[in-house]
Amino acid sequence: MLRSIRRSPALKALQLSESMTMDHQSRALSERLRGLFGGRKVVLAGGTRLYRRVQELQHLGVDRTLVISTDDSAPLYDPQVATWLPLGISGLIATEQMGLEEALSSPAPELAGALREFDPEGDALVVGSHYMALPEVDGRTVINYRRPEWVALENKTTIDSLWRDLSAPHAPAVVFDAAGESFSSLWEASKRLDSGWGVVWSGDGPAINGGANFVRRVRTRSEARRVFRHLAPKCDFIRVMPFLEGIPVSVHGIVFPDGTAVLRPIEMVVPRRTESARFLYAGCASFYDPPSQIRDEMRNLARRVGEQLRTTVGYRGTFTLDGVATADGFRPTEINTRYGGAMTCFEDALPQVPIALVHVALVAGYDIGISSMEFEDMLVHAADTSRISSIGANVKAVSPTHEVERPIVWTEWACRWAHEDEVPHGTLRLKPGRIGGRLELDMFQDMVRPGRAAAPLVVSAFALADQDWCTGLGRLEPAQAVVEPDVEELMAAVEQAAVTA
């Protein structure tokens, strides 16, 4: 259960001093960002949390904002502050991004007209989505566009060369040309690399591989044949590597002119589907604390990766280093040279700092007036203190017409609806989605204990949604922690009758 901690006067004074320092840094950072955005017109071209970005830009003194969103909804907003232009593009990440860049590279008359009306001089700043590889939109510079040499580093079938360059321990892997190799070659390699838990096939190119779209777990020959038939027509290459038992984790680095800020590890909530080779990418959470040795290992490697990115391709801004916390230590699997989705855990832990716009400014080569170490200390402290989750999944089995939300309670690893007279541990929400429905889980940070992985809680909550809301996610299995966090209070994960194992 949660324990109340009596704070000594010295501890209170230290915490007050830290809070004052953070407030000073936050105000100074905002003033620097005003120098980039203040008084300018800004086009937000796709992306997530657009409503929040508009608020952040308004706080920084922008003239007006034009929001080009991929979905077909526009919130009620003061037209003197922001204009919303929905494109009506829906689907998976790859579909959305390809549709967005196609629409922006050759604007249709309606879009071109909206841009001219909003910015007749053509000097507005364009802030693209985190995937954006377009250098300009109708003559206007995309200040955070991703250079081709940055995008190339995300290829999951070529990343092993980086681990070798850095002498980083990593799992063995074999890469095959999807069009030129036979199924039997991949299957023979799979048998050689299988260490007892099966293997993972990862496809890459030409489409964006996000949210585990082209990642499959292979355990049998028949399963391998089905996966090959799915990946071969869609991918240029397929990487085969052992399945790594452990908690999927990600650590973010932010490349500054003076160094690389490295943040705390974040759990990637990726349950396995017990009845298929697919994984379910369900978001991220910062409750999990890897053992200190693995945390240090991850952060040290991320710092080396950041410096490698700086010296080889001139990288700036945020990147992710993904991998698995295994019994043998951290094993990296990929990097993403962009602002990762798990950065929401830091945004929500430190809402007074427009972290996403800091990333944009760094990519644009703008001096934000703070060192990498100062920024690192500020974000790590906030995220270690305030634990956050961002959990959700698209569901195709239902197409709700309105939103429904109910409070939940966990007992052991099971989940049930909360009674009217008890304090809930979270809420489940089902609402209309882009490809059917959207299932979301809020985990209340003052009820869930830091330490253990969130995935078992997510799996039990999603099972409840399947049972009562017919969401059709099927049987899920959480990742297994093969090394326990070295925190003695982890005998209880949530207060009172909540998770204890």
Side-chain angles (χ1 to χ4, degrees):
M1 66 179 65
L2 291 175
R3 295 184 303 173
S4 61
I5 300 176
R6 300 180 61 127
R7 296 184 297 169
S8 68
L11 178 59
K12 290 180 181 179
L14 176 61
Q15 291 174 333
L16 178 60
S17 175
E18 290 175 342
S19 176
M20 292 175 62
T21 299
M22 190 175 298
D23 288 343
H24 172 73
Q25 291 174 329
S26 174
R27 288 193 297 270
L29 186 56
S30 292
E31 284 304 311
R32 292 295 300 177
L33 291 175
R34 284 178 184 271
L36 175 61
F37 295 106
R40 301 291 299 270
K41 292 180 179 178
V42 176
V43 177
L44 287 177
T48 58
R49 295 192 160 195
L50 292 173
Y51 188 89
R52 178 170 180 157
R53 300 292 169 255
V54 169
Q55 292 178 311
E56 291 171 343
L57 288 167
Q58 184 180 6
H59 177 70
L60 295 175
V62 300
D63 180 7
R64 282 184 61 213
T65 304
L66 172 64
V67 183
I68 303 173
S69 61
T70 53
D71 60 27
D72 58 0
S73 62
L76 292 176
Y77 214 92
D78 184 349
Q80 297 303 312
V81 174
T83 301
W84 291 72
L85 180 62
L87 297 180
I89 303 171
S90 62
L92 299 173
I93 294 174
T95 303
E96 280 195 3
Q97 292 304 312
M98 287 189 294
L100 175 64
E101 294 203 12
E102 181 179 345
L104 295 176
S105 61
S106 300
E110 180 184 0
L111 176 55
L115 285 165
R116 284 194 301 271
E117 180 180 356
F118 172 76
D119 176 40
E121 297 83 8
D123 58 3
L125 297 178
V126 179
V127 176
S129 77
H130 301 316
Y131 292 92
M132 185 72 72
L134 286 179
E136 64 176 42
V137 173
D138 205 20
R140 300 164 180 84
T141 300
V142 179
I143 62 173
N144 64 324
Y145 96 99
R146 302 171 68 213
R147 303 177 192 170
E149 59 269 30
W150 297 358
V151 176
L153 289 165
E154 288 200 15
N155 193 311
K156 295 171 177 58
T157 62
T158 60
I159 194 61
D160 289 329
S161 62
L162 176 61
W163 314 142
R164 290 192 293 270
D165 290 344
L166 296 175
S167 300
H170 60 284
V174 180
V175 177
F176 295 92
D177 184 328
E181 292 288 345
S182 65
F183 163 77
S184 60
S185 299
L186 273 75
W187 176 240
E188 288 301 317
S190 299
K191 290 192 293 183
R192 291 196 307 271
L193 292 173
D194 189 346
S195 57
W197 289 302
V199 295
V200 173
W201 290 14
S202 299
D204 221 315
I208 295 170
N209 187 354
N213 287 344
F214 300 136
V215 181
R216 300 289 187 272
R217 184 182 184 183
V218 171
R219 287 157 290 189
T220 66
R221 184 182 180 89
S222 60
E223 199 168 47
R225 172 115 14 220
R226 289 193 295 271
V227 171
F228 183 75
R229 288 172 178 165
H230 176 75
L231 295 182
K234 298 179 174 64
C235 304
D236 293 335
F237 299 96
I238 299 173
R239 181 184 66 179
V240 180
M241 66 179 293
F243 178 85
L244 301 175
E245 187 60 85
I247 302 297
V249 282
S250 179
V251 60
H252 292 70
I254 308 172
V255 182
F256 280 66
D258 73 319
T260 300
V262 177
L263 309 185
R264 64 154 286 135
I266 300 293
E267 176 191 359
M268 307 308 293
V269 182
V270 189
R272 304 96 182 245
R273 298 180 187 268
T274 62
E275 297 164 347
S276 81
R278 300 186 63 187
F279 296 88
L280 174 67
Y281 177 73
C284 57
S286 60
F287 293 102
Y288 174 62
D289 288 317
S292 57
Q293 179 180 348
I294 290 182
R295 174 177 168 131
D296 292 345
E297 192 179 354
M298 294 178 66
R299 299 186 73 240
N300 289 338
L301 180 56
R303 204 175 305 277
R304 292 164 60 204
V305 168
E307 294 309 299
Q308 182 83 347
L309 294 178
R310 175 215 307 283
T311 58
T312 57
V313 294
Y315 190 76
R316 289 292 186 273
T318 308
F319 67 91
T320 75
L321 169 63
D322 297 346
V324 182
T326 76
D328 298 320
F330 176 68
R331 292 295 179 265
T333 56
E334 64 179 276
I335 65 170
N336 294 302
T337 46
R338 51 183 159 83
Y339 191 87
M343 286 300 292
T344 57
C345 291
F346 299 94
E347 289 184 20
D348 292 346
L350 197 62
Q352 66 268 39
V353 176
I355 300 174
L357 296 179
V358 169
H359 164 79
V360 170
L362 288 170
V363 175
Y366 184 76
D367 180 7
I368 63 172
I370 188 172
S371 72
S372 58
M373 287 299 98
E374 289 176 307
F375 199 67
E376 174 181 309
D377 290 344
M378 182 167 55
L379 266 63
V380 170
H381 178 268
D384 279 344
T385 303
S386 182
R387 305 304 178 97
I388 305 294
S389 64
S390 178
I391 306 297
N394 296 321
V395 293
K396 298 180 180 179
V398 292
S399 298
T401 57
H402 63 280
E403 181 177 310
V404 59
E405 179 178 295
R406 291 185 63 180
I408 57 173
V409 163
W410 283 285
T411 304
E412 297 299 325
W413 289 123
C415 184
R416 60 171 173 80
W417 303 119
H419 303 309
E420 289 186 6
D421 59 347
E422 66 181 333
V423 178
H425 301 142
T427 59
L428 265 176
R429 182 183 312 108
L430 181 63
K431 62 184 185 180
R434 298 179 180 181
I435 56 173
R438 177 72 179 173
L439 180 64
E440 296 177 343
L441 169 65
D442 294 334
M443 304 171 67
F444 297 163
Q445 63 172 310
D446 57 341
M447 299 301 296
V448 179
R449 288 295 299 265
R452 293 195 184 277
L457 299 174
V458 175
V459 166
S460 62
F462 282 6
L464 179 62
D466 262 13
Q467 172 186 295
D468 286 7
W469 289 345
C470 302
T471 45
L473 290 172
R475 293 179 58 189
L476 301 173
E477 176 185 90
Q480 301 297 316
V482 292
V483 281
E484 291 296 333
D486 46 1
V487 182
E488 64 179 6
E489 296 98 12
L490 295 184
M491 293 303 294
V494 300
E495 187 175 14
Q496 300 277 334
V499 179
T500 58

